[in-house]
Amino acid sequence: MQKIKDIIKHSAFFGRFYLLLVGMIIAILKIFVQTDDKTVLFISFSGRKFNDSPKAIYDAMRADAAFADYNLVWAFNDPDQFPDVDAAHKISANGLGYFKQLLHAKYWVANSSIERLVPFKHPHNIYIQTWHGVPLKKLGPDEANLEFLVKHWFAKAQFDVLLASSEYDADIFSRIFPSSAKPTITGLPRSANLLRDRSAEIANLQDKLQLDIQKKTVLYAPTFREYDSEFASALSQAAQEGLASEYNLLVRGHYFMNDNVVIGIDVTEFADLNLLMQASDILITDYSSIMFDYAVLNRPIVLLQPDAEEYAAKRGMYLDPAELGLPIVTDEMSLFEALGKVNHQELAAFAHRFEQHDATYGISTVLNEIRK
């Protein structure tokens, strides 16, 4: 199935055929499928995950008595991988039957494409797009060599509600999603529980991962290099070993990365990223949007960017990382020196610049939209 998806996604010919075929099927389904005003369909990272802002909104709806009679449904590429959702409330995101379920749900909550890259008008549906992070690297039409199907989706996607964290990403979203409603600055719903007391859960995590509570914990979260499918880490094995001897080293690879060589503790598949951040004392990343989330905690962030020129040239960024006000290192020796330093004033300024509202405002904005 994944090979077929890749062929369609990367071929302009098959992409156009896919749009035509699925578009015809959707047009026919619109005639027969009745929209249910109390069904909400959720999807995260195109069906790969059960997390992020869609889950934060889902959890809030489940906890709110006002939505007790709503049918909350998740779409997954492989529903069997997510036992936390009962069978009656999850569906497969693959196959043409998925679009019947999509049209049946009045509300769509997603952090990427919920329409499987087939943008279509939805007069009876409300499309709520949270996106999946504040963009530092270029997106959509701003990317070089973007596939036809993805580029077409960015141009034509029609969100009724598009959330942003600040004027910075609202401006970017307005340009790359020209067919959608104006972004609403609310904060990312997924960040809502970052400042909640989860000490018991953190203690359980420390026990599960066998962390040494006498050591500080470092979360290392590099991002994916689209131009280098073999990339897994900017840290050498020796550097990882050095970090692991001094700190509890948690390594979270991007979900597109394969065959990571991890010296520390591999938490790539751990579902609750917020809990990992709360359990960590320091974040090391490079160009990942995790830096914007982590800043809410006012804890040290170090950007390891030995390939900054190459990344900027091949992937493209909206801002020079030097403008962020965070410590940047280009070699491993400098990294070890930077880990012991923190400027809380600069961190606070960074957090305020890119997260202008408490994240609970994002959740309440979505819930109020659904209550209408």
Side-chain angles (χ1 to χ4, degrees):
M1 177 60 73
Q2 188 58 50
K3 289 183 178 180
I4 295 174
K5 290 181 183 179
D6 289 340
I7 291 173
I8 294 173
K9 183 177 178 180
H10 294 286
S11 166
F13 173 79
F14 287 110
R16 289 186 172 88
F17 179 76
Y18 171 75
L19 288 174
L20 178 62
L21 175 63
V22 176
M24 291 173 59
I25 292 172
I26 290 171
I28 295 171
L29 288 174
K30 282 183 180 179
I31 300 172
F32 299 101
V33 177
Q34 184 174 359
T35 301
D36 181 4
D37 289 346
K38 291 193 173 183
T39 293
V40 185
L41 185 63
F42 299 84
I43 195 167
S44 180
F45 295 105
S46 302
R48 290 186 292 270
K49 301 289 183 177
F50 176 50
N51 63 359
D52 209 72
S53 291
K55 186 174 186 298
I57 295 165
Y58 167 77
D59 289 340
M61 292 187 71
R62 291 189 68 192
D64 190 332
F67 299 103
D69 59 342
Y70 276 67
N71 183 28
L72 309 181
V73 182
W74 274 85
F76 300 114
N77 290 338
D78 184 357
D80 292 338
Q81 288 186 353
F82 302 92
D84 289 342
V85 183
D86 64 83
H89 293 93
K90 59 184 175 182
I91 62 171
S92 172
N94 295 316
L96 297 176
Y98 167 74
F99 291 96
K100 177 181 176 181
Q101 300 293 331
L102 188 62
L103 288 167
H104 178 66
K106 179 174 182 177
Y107 300 98
W108 307 346
V109 181
N111 64 358
S112 54
S113 170
I114 201 172
E115 341 82 300
R116 313 307 279 179
L117 297 179
V118 185
F120 60 91
K121 293 181 179 179
H122 40 89
H124 302 300
N125 307 99
I126 303 297
Y127 195 168
I128 299 167
Q129 177 61 249
T130 69
W131 204 239
H132 49 272
V134 177
L136 179 61
K137 55 190 177 185
K138 291 187 176 180
L139 295 174
D142 294 336
E143 293 181 57
N145 304 315
L146 193 67
E147 301 93 341
F148 162 77
L149 204 58
V150 180
K151 188 173 184 178
H152 180 267
W153 178 76
F154 272 93
K156 302 296 182 181
Q158 301 177 56
F159 311 134
D160 298 288
V161 179
L162 173 57
L163 304 187
S165 293
S166 66
E167 295 289 349
Y168 165 77
D169 54 332
D171 177 65
I172 294 171
F173 292 155
S174 294
R175 289 188 291 101
I176 66 175
F177 295 117
S179 300
S180 286
K182 181 180 178 180
T184 302
I185 299 175
T186 65
L188 285 178
R190 72 184 185 192
S191 298
N193 69 353
L194 268 176
L195 295 178
R196 182 167 60 85
D197 182 10
R198 302 177 72 187
S199 54
E201 294 172 87
I202 292 171
N204 288 335
L205 177 66
Q206 291 170 332
D207 183 62
K208 179 180 179 180
L209 299 180
Q210 299 183 326
L211 303 186
D212 182 349
I213 60 173
Q214 302 303 317
K215 294 181 177 181
K216 288 187 175 182
T217 297
V218 168
L219 176 60
Y220 174 48
T223 196
F224 181 63
R225 272 66 166 169
E226 289 84 352
Y227 53 84
D228 183 3
S229 60
E230 299 300 317
F231 175 85
S233 173
L235 285 173
S236 67
Q237 182 173 331
Q240 289 190 53
E241 290 173 348
L243 283 171
S245 67
E246 188 174 346
Y247 301 92
N248 297 305
L249 176 61
L250 308 182
V251 180
R252 187 175 180 85
H254 192 280
Y255 54 83
F256 282 146
M257 295 178 182
N258 296 314
D259 301 322
N260 294 328
V261 178
V262 175
I263 304 300
I265 301 169
D266 190 346
V267 291
T268 302
E269 297 301 323
F270 190 82
D272 193 341
L273 178 55
N274 279 7
L275 187 60
L276 290 176
M277 288 192 281
Q278 288 173 297
S280 304
D281 301 289
I282 305 168
L283 172 69
I284 302 173
T285 186
D286 41 27
Y287 317 101
S288 172
S289 64
I290 191 175
M291 70 177 77
F292 301 102
D293 300 72
Y294 197 80
V296 174
L297 297 171
N298 198 29
R299 297 175 188 172
I301 301 171
V302 179
L303 305 182
L304 175 61
Q305 299 179 348
D307 58 344
E309 291 186 8
E310 180 184 22
Y311 193 89
K314 294 183 177 179
R315 184 61 176 82
M317 289 182 282
Y318 290 111
L319 278 178
D320 183 337
E323 298 178 46
L324 298 173
L326 296 174
I328 298 174
V329 297
T330 57
D331 61 85
E332 295 171 350
M333 183 63 71
S334 299
L335 172 65
F336 280 86
E337 294 174 359
L339 290 178
K341 302 175 183 178
V342 58
N343 185 318
H344 291 286
Q345 187 174 359
E346 289 181 352
L347 277 174
F350 172 75
H352 178 71
R353 178 183 178 186
F354 295 102
E355 188 81 28
Q356 295 176 352
H357 287 280
D358 185 295
T360 56
Y361 183 47
I363 293 177
S364 62
T365 298
V366 173
L367 267 55
N368 288 338
E369 176 67 33
I370 296 174
R371 287 191 183 100
K372 287 182 180 179

